[in-house]
Structures are given as structure tokens and as C-alpha cells.
Amino acid sequence: VIEDRKNCNNITINVQLIITQLICELQDYITLLQTNTDSITFKYHEKDYLLIKSKIDDFKNRFNLGYSELKIKKLFQLILTLL
């Protein structure tokens, strides 16, 4: 049970703004596929990998964040809708 909904919403909004800033900084090197409250999924050209990693490292240091990465060779997303 969330006891402090206002603080929870503030944290969520702030993290979304931080992720949006990262996306803006990477936009010339990636194709954004998906973003949510704590992650982004994107495509990139292998030749840009080290540059992207460098930008992410700089970003995480500025915002005092950690991160993990998962390289995906194939991606499948299923979105269900009500009929």
C-alpha cells in the first residue's frame, strides 16, 4: 500500500523527466522503441555503441544514477485491448 501518494507521484514524474532528458541527449544516435517510468528500449547502429555508452555514463554520473543494459536480438511486444 502506498502511504504517500503525492511523494510517489513526484518521484515518478521526476524520473520520467530524467529519462526524457536522456532520450533527448541520445536522439541523434538511437531510434526510440519504447519508454516507461524507469527504462527505455531503443535500436542503434553498432558503430555508435561506444558513443552511446559514453553519453549514458556521463548522464548517469550527472544524475547520480545506476543502470543496467540488456541487448535484445529480437523483440516482440503484445498489447492486449478490450473488445
Side-chain angles (χ1 to χ4, degrees), residues 4-70:
D4 186 350
R5 292 188 187 280
K6 182 178 180 185
N7 194 39
C8 180
N9 286 339
N10 286 339
I11 291 169
T12 300
I13 290 168
N14 285 330
V15 173
Q16 287 174 335
L17 290 171
I18 290 169
I19 286 180
T20 300
Q21 177 63 36
L22 176 59
I23 292 166
C24 289
E25 293 182 24
L26 295 176
Q27 71 182 347
D28 292 337
Y29 311 100
I30 67 169
T31 300
L32 184 65
L33 299 176
Q34 181 179 0
T35 183
N36 60 35
T37 55
D38 62 356
S39 67
I40 60 175
T41 304
F42 57 86
K43 293 189 321 183
Y44 63 94
H45 295 288
E46 191 62 39
K47 66 179 180 60
D48 293 328
Y49 178 74
L50 292 178
L51 178 62
I52 291 167
K53 286 284 290 186
S54 174
K55 290 187 172 292
I56 292 172
D57 285 338
D58 176 62
F59 183 85
K60 77 169 182 79
N61 290 335
R62 282 186 284 131
F63 285 92
N64 194 29
L65 298 170
Y67 75 95
S68 61
E69 68 178 65
L70 174 64

